[in-house]
Amino acid sequence: MITLEFPKSEAENLGLARWVSERIPNFTPSNFYTMAFFEKGVGIRGVVLYHNYRNTDIEIVFAGEGNWAQRDLINMALRYPFTIGCRRITAICRKDNLAARKLVQRLGFRQEGKLRNAEPDGTDLFIYGLLNGENRLERNYDGQKVRTLAAATG
């Protein structure tokens, strides 16, 4: 069983951010907070990292390994920014990361722009936004265990 857990110290928060940075090239978070998708007996399966908080907006990054993206946990991770007063969540995906782009679109994020030639290798970045009430998991969630997003997007 996978659970969503908050870091218990600043050292744990920094460690989780480092875990994300090891899996996403050229990613350096600033002003961040993390939550871990933790599987008992296995350890960290994924991390959601919130950064660049701007009072009404916050950026979100997901990183994971294996089958970690359970629908109810992703829903909780998406609801969190709205409980602290955000009106929107921003996600930025590389043009060539089709799995990430497909995932955020399935969650309800809408493409809002493109940063041309933004990565060191010249790859474009796409900007996605999610407003409160647009979370597709929230609208479809019935409170019961459901199949994982990884299976749904496979």
Side-chain angles (χ1 to χ4, degrees), residues 3-32:
T3 58
L4 187 59
E5 299 185 11
F6 293 89
K8 295 172 183 65
S9 67
E10 185 59 28
E12 281 187 14
N13 192 44
L14 289 170
L16 292 170
R18 197 169 22 260
W19 193 92
V20 171
S21 296
E22 291 169 358
R23 287 153 181 81
I24 300 177
N26 305 313
F27 177 71
T28 306
S30 60
N31 203 17
F32 58 86

Side-chain angles (χ1 to χ4, degrees), residues 9-60:
S9 67
E10 185 59 28
E12 281 187 14
N13 192 44
L14 289 170
L16 292 170
R18 197 169 22 260
W19 193 92
V20 171
S21 296
E22 291 169 358
R23 287 153 181 81
I24 300 177
N26 305 313
F27 177 71
T28 306
S30 60
N31 203 17
F32 58 86
Y33 185 72
T34 60
M35 288 186 226
F37 295 88
F38 185 82
E39 185 172 6
K40 189 173 184 173
V42 176
I44 298 170
R45 297 305 300 265
V47 172
V48 58
L49 184 142
Y50 307 96
H51 69 122
N52 293 334
Y53 174 65
R54 296 175 293 275
N55 294 319
T56 59
D57 179 39
I58 197 164
E59 290 180 40
I60 193 169

